[in-house]
Amino acid sequence: MTNDRIALVTGASRGLGLEMCRQLAARGVTVLLSARDLASAHKAAEIVRADGGDCRPIALDVTDAGQIAAVAAELDSSYGRLDVLVNNAAILTDLGVQPSATDEAVLRANLDVNFVGPFMLIAALSPLLRRSDGARVLNLGTQVGSFGNLDDTRSPLVDDICPAYQASKIALNAATALFAKELRQEGITVNSLCPGWVMTDMGHEDLPDYGDAVAPMSPTEAVAQMLWLVEDEPSPPTGRFWSQGEEIPW
Ligand SMILES: NC(=O)c1ccc[n+]([C@@H]2O[C@H](COP(=O)([O-])OP(=O)(O)OC[C@H]3O[C@@H](n4cnc5c(N)ncnc54)[C@H](OP(=O)(O)O)[C@@H]3O)[C@@H](O)[C@H]2O)c1
């Protein structure tokens, strides 16, 4: 795709979000780099701009309806449309906790950041996505949040327990399918993608039963294999769940 394109990436202060901004900007996309802390967004945007990219820092806590509305208004007045939305922001705060021991506040927080926020963001930005010539929405999911892996004893992921995170990412996959269905006729694609196990703050977490193993992928490698869905493929599929270029089960 060529590039007077406008992208918004959530949770881009660090990790995969920041790297997504860097790689999109390197391709000539105008990137709105959002973070819940504006100072962090400024710092991250400097890193992107150091590589020559066009990058604007903005404040967005995805759980804040007022900030979502403000970002939609800002995009409307500055650009009149949105071409790429990457719902990347997430928390994982219940690793190794059994469902019966889950704290209600933790459950609600994971659902808010990982599901309700991205859902309401897509809804708020859908008028702007509709004005794009082929908008792409990418929701960052996880195979740990693949429904089939939850209690399948043959799955290598069956012992990765983080119920609030898992439930929130399964709900996010539902959002992918629902918005894909609504927006398909307008040429807007909506997909979920698991990046694999990536060396970020989240990917550094000690995963149960992984011993001393470390994440095998860098953010640079992980983002490089995501871009086909938002930039490279002229007619990408929609309403699907992907990892490493392959479709995977919900
Ligand atoms: N790393 C992996 O192995 C892996 C595997 C599967 C899926 N994923 C998914 O990939 C995505 C990125 O993960 P990552 O590894 O880059 O995670 P990370 O390093 O922990 O970064 C998470 C980002 O989300 C932001 N964030 C948290 N709460 C937010 C909120 N309420 N509003 C806006 N931003 C918020 C954080 O901002 P602050 O700096 O303000 O905290 C941070 O920028 C996530 O959706 C994750 O579930 C990652």
Side-chain angles (χ1 to χ4, degrees), residues 10-18 34-37 40 60-64 67 87-92 109 112-114 139-144 165 169 172 193-205 207 215 217 219 226:
T10 67
S13 58
R14 54 194 163 93
L16 288 165
L18 171 54
S34 73
R36 56 183 165 169
D37 170 41
S40 301
L60 178 58
D61 180 329
V62 298
T63 66
D64 184 326
Q67 285 191 4
N87 273 313
N88 166 82
I91 56 170
L92 161 55
D112 262 1
V113 178
N114 302 349
N139 295 327
L140 271 283
T142 172
Q143 290 194 65
V144 174
Y165 179 74
K169 290 293 190 176
L172 182 63
L193 180 145
C194 171
W197 186 15
V198 188
M199 187 73 81
T200 61
D201 290 349
M202 187 183 286
H204 268 111
E205 300 269 7
L207 296 172
M217 229 185 311
M226 296 182 203

Side-chain angles (χ1 to χ4, degrees), residues 82 123 125-133 135 182-183 186 188:
L82 179 65
L125 298 179
S126 60
L128 295 159
L129 294 166
R130 286 183 160 107
R131 286 191 223 133
S132 165
D133 180 19
E182 182 186 353
L183 301 173
E186 292 160 276
I188 301 168

Side-chain angles (χ1 to χ4, degrees), residues 65-237:
Q67 285 191 4
I68 288 179
V71 167
E74 171 58 28
L75 273 163
D76 193 16
S77 66
S78 295
Y79 307 104
R81 68 173 201 283
L82 179 65
D83 302 303
V84 176
L85 169 62
V86 181
N87 273 313
N88 166 82
I91 56 170
L92 161 55
T93 53
D94 63 338
L95 208 52
V97 176
Q98 290 298 329
S100 58
T102 296
D103 179 81
E104 182 180 339
V106 169
L107 182 61
R108 289 187 188 280
N110 277 263
L111 285 166
D112 262 1
V113 178
N114 302 349
F115 166 61
V116 180
F119 191 111
M120 297 315 295
L121 189 60
I122 301 171
L125 298 179
S126 60
L128 295 159
L129 294 166
R130 286 183 160 107
R131 286 191 223 133
S132 165
D133 180 19
R136 313 279 180 245
V137 178
L138 188 62
N139 295 327
L140 271 283
T142 172
Q143 290 194 65
V144 174
S146 162
F147 200 77
N149 283 331
L150 292 186
D151 72 347
D152 180 351
T153 49
R154 293 161 303 175
S155 164
L157 301 175
V158 72
D159 291 324
D160 292 348
I161 309 287
C162 37
Y165 179 74
Q166 288 169 301
S168 69
K169 290 293 190 176
I170 289 169
L172 182 63
N173 279 349
T176 294
L178 290 165
F179 279 106
K181 185 172 66 170
E182 182 186 353
L183 301 173
R184 178 177 285 124
Q185 298 309 324
E186 292 160 276
I188 301 168
T189 66
V190 186
N191 287 283
S192 285
L193 180 145
C194 171
W197 186 15
V198 188
M199 187 73 81
T200 61
D201 290 349
M202 187 183 286
H204 268 111
E205 300 269 7
D206 293 329
L207 296 172
D209 297 332
Y210 277 60
D212 293 331
V214 291
M217 229 185 311
S218 69
T220 307
E221 293 166 313
V223 169
Q225 51 89 16
M226 296 182 203
L227 285 177
W228 70 278
L229 271 173
V230 291
E231 275 295 297
D232 297 339
E233 173 60 50
S235 301

